[in-house]
């Protein structure tokens, strides 16, 4: 592959780092800029499988993924007293996915990707972000926050759901945002007062769900997903906002939030998808959450981000650096898959968080049926566990 000029990637997240690795392995020298001063430590626990696993396997990263060890043997759904009414061995889920599955924290995946990028000599510049860009036809002029500027052949916006590249090239986020009616917050704290054993425990009540993950060393990861009208929540008010949402919550939700000593959640955002008619304009294109945010309810945001990065790099190689057909082929392949998963996630969001009208007995019956050893492989396929990459996409 021979891209005529330098390549800029905005965002050292999952999509951006994956793209940087792929381009570097194809012989390019991408520059990655990241607004944060370091790799972010915020995030939440997630299941990793499907298209993401497929890309990780092709990049030689699965050994490091399998080396991650969290003290989690079971997935349990518990009542207000913490008593399980459904318990699923993690090994059953792994078998249903042919062993291509791990539990990990989002920062774990970022670290693994960054270590690979660093070992390849990728230029990653922390504390730097794009303030302006102008596509001049033959190149893109970019101005950075530190006053520096540069001329690039291609620019990739991999800077997340609140993408600055998308705003500069396509307009305000409000045009493309699809609020799913809920919020998510994640905390990391001492777990000695909240023993959950070696199980992920999920407790649900009308309009709110909480999940608790033992992560070792006496620590607990907690994720809260709750339904409320969309409002602007200043950063300094986020923790109070979550605490109000879980006032009177059963099991350990309210107590855990009361004990949390941090000034704000490690992660907080609305459950918002991004649906944009076109992902590319001239020499600039978007990937990952910047153009196709699924939300964590889809369980596949990181998978599709990695797949998108892999496909962009592959198409640029296929077309010898010619971005016009490469970007077109990238959208043609990825966009339908992302749209389908977004629709699935929007539908799932309506049922994932119970309402006051939800029938607990019916929900428990469905949970038991979905995680039945015979049904589970088919349920995961319906949820999009199959890779979107073809066998010959290498």
């Amino acid at each position: 592959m021979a891209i005529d000029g330098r390549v800029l990637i905005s965002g050292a997240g999952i999509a951006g780092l994956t793209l940087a690795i792929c381009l570097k392995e194809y012989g390019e020298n991408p520059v990655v800029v990241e607004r944060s001063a370091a790799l972010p430590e915020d995030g939440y626990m997630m299941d990793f499988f499907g298209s993401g696993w497929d890309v990780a396997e092709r990049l030689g990263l699965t050994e490091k993924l399998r080396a991650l060890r969290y003290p989690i043997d079971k997935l349990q759904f518990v009542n207000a007293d913490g008593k399980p009414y459904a318990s699923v061995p993690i090994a059953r889920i792994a078998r249903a996915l042919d062993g291509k599955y791990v539990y990990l924290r989002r920062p774990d995946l970022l670290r693994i990707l960054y270590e690979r990028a660093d070992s390849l000599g990728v230029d990653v510049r922390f504390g730097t972000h794009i303030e302006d860009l102008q596509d001049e036809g033959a190149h893109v002029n970019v101005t950075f926050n530190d006053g520096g500027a540069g001329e690039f052949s291609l620019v990739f916006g991999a800077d997340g759901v609140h993408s600055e590249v998308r705003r500069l090239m396509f307009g305000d986020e409000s045009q493309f945002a699809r609020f799913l009616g809920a919020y998510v917050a994640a905390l990391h704290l001492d777990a000695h007062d909240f023993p959950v054993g070696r199980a992920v425990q999920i407790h649900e009540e009308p309009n709110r769900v909480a999940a608790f993950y033992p992560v070792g060393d006496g620590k607990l990861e907690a994720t809260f997903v709750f339904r409320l009208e969309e409002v602007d929540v200043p950063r300094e008010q986020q923790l109070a906002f979550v605490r109000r949402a879980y006032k009177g919550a059963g099991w350990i939700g309210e107590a855990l939030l009361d004990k949390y000593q941090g000034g704000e959640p490690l992660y907080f955002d609305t459950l918002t998808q991004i649906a944009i008619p076109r992902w590319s304009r001239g020499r600039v294109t978007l990937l990952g959450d910047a153009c196709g945010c699924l939300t964590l309810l889809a369980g596949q945001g990181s998978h599709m981000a990695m797949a998108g990065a892999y496909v962009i790099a592959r198409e640029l190689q296929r077309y010898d650096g010619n971005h016009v057909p490469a970007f077109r082929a990238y959208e043609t392949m990825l966009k339908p898959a992302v749209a389908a998963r977004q629709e699935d996630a929007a539908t799932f969001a309506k049922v994932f968080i119970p309402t006051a009208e939800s029938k607990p007995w019916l929900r428990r019956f469905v949970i038991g049926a979905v995680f039945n050893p015979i049904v589970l492989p088919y349920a995961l396929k319906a949820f999009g566990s199959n890779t979107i990459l073809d066998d010959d996409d290498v």
Side-chain angles (χ1 to χ4, degrees):
M1 178 168 63
I3 296 175
D4 184 17
R6 294 193 300 166
V7 173
L8 178 65
I9 301 170
S10 176
I14 292 169
L17 289 173
T18 302
L19 178 59
I21 293 167
C22 292
L23 290 176
K24 191 74 173 180
E25 292 189 339
Y26 284 142
E28 300 298 325
N29 289 295
V31 175
V32 181
V33 294
E34 168 56 45
R35 179 183 293 269
S36 302
L39 285 178
E41 289 295 325
D42 60 344
Y44 40 80
M45 291 289 289
M46 61 185 188
D47 305 85
F48 189 74
F49 56 93
S51 299
W53 187 279
D54 202 6
V55 174
E57 196 166 44
R58 296 168 193 217
L59 297 181
L61 302 177
T62 53
E63 184 177 341
K64 289 191 174 183
L65 290 171
R66 293 189 189 280
L68 295 170
R69 292 287 185 270
Y70 288 107
I72 298 173
D73 297 330
K74 293 176 290 187
L75 170 64
Q76 294 181 333
F77 292 83
V78 302
N79 64 17
D81 298 318
K83 295 180 179 179
Y85 56 84
S87 186
V88 185
I90 295 299
R92 181 185 301 172
I93 301 174
R95 282 195 301 271
L97 293 166
D98 296 323
K100 298 180 177 182
Y101 169 84
V102 293
Y103 253 126
L104 50 71
R105 296 180 68 240
R106 190 177 182 87
D108 294 331
L109 183 55
L110 281 175
R111 175 182 52 79
I112 289 171
L113 289 168
Y114 177 75
E115 288 174 354
R116 168 55 66 84
D118 187 55
S119 71
L120 293 172
V122 173
D123 182 4
V124 181
R125 304 174 185 178
F126 290 102
T128 305
H129 63 269
I130 295 172
E131 285 204 338
D132 189 40
L133 52 82
Q134 298 293 329
D135 189 335
E136 303 293 347
H139 60 268
V140 183
N141 288 329
V142 180
T143 303
F144 299 102
N145 61 302
D146 59 5
E151 185 178 290
F152 296 88
S153 178
L154 301 176
V155 175
F156 297 92
D159 44 350
V161 63
H162 305 300
S163 170
E164 184 68 8
V165 172
R166 186 186 63 231
R167 185 188 69 80
L168 291 168
M169 290 301 295
F170 296 94
D172 190 75
E173 179 178 314
S174 60
Q175 302 176 67
F176 317 115
R178 181 192 299 167
F179 178 58
L180 298 187
Y183 297 78
V184 58
L187 309 175
H188 186 77
L189 72 166
D190 184 274
H192 290 98
D193 294 337
F194 307 104
V196 296
R198 297 180 61 88
V200 176
Q201 294 194 341
I202 298 175
H203 176 62
E204 56 179 38
E205 298 175 329
N207 297 316
R208 57 195 182 192
V209 175
F212 311 101
Y213 305 82
V215 293
D217 299 323
K219 299 295 182 180
L220 190 71
E221 195 85 20
T223 300
F224 301 89
V225 185
F226 53 101
R227 184 182 288 114
L228 279 174
E229 293 296 318
E230 186 174 19
V231 294
D232 182 30
V233 185
R235 189 174 183 86
E236 67 275 9
Q237 297 178 23
Q238 291 172 357
L239 183 58
F241 185 75
V242 180
R243 282 175 170 155
R244 285 196 298 273
Y246 282 81
K247 191 70 175 176
W251 190 214
I252 59 176
E254 182 180 24
L256 186 147
L257 282 164
D258 287 343
K259 184 181 178 181
Y260 180 63
Q261 297 298 308
E264 56 198 30
L266 290 177
Y267 178 87
F268 178 91
D269 209 344
T270 58
L271 283 183
T272 298
Q273 294 181 339
I274 296 295
I276 183 168
R278 39 188 304 209
W279 294 355
S280 304
R281 176 166 290 168
R283 292 179 173 273
V284 181
T285 194
L286 306 173
L287 67 155
D289 285 352
C291 59
C293 182
L294 304 177
T295 78
L296 86 167
L297 291 188
Q300 300 180 65
S302 60
H303 311 165
M304 297 304 291
M306 293 181 73
Y310 181 89
V311 169
I312 288 176
R314 182 201 63 191
E315 295 304 324
L316 283 168
Q317 183 194 42
R318 177 177 295 174
Y319 290 103
D320 196 28
N322 187 338
H323 69 282
V324 176
F327 288 177
R328 185 185 305 120
Y330 155 63
E331 285 198 44
T332 298
M333 179 175 180
L334 262 292
K335 208 168 185 183
V338 168
R341 283 162 172 76
Q342 284 185 325
E343 290 305 313
D344 289 345
T347 300
F348 187 53
K350 297 175 183 178
V351 299
F352 175 75
I353 308 172
T355 66
E357 291 74 36
S358 296
K359 295 178 172 56
W361 66 268
L362 180 58
R363 293 181 67 86
R364 295 181 182 187
F365 172 80
V366 171
I367 289 169
V370 166
F371 286 100
N372 178 281
I374 297 174
V375 175
L376 185 57
Y378 302 98
L380 289 169
K381 286 181 180 179
F383 198 62
S385 66
N386 288 345
T387 179
I388 67 166
L389 303 181
D390 297 329
D391 291 339
D392 58 352
D393 284 334
V394 293

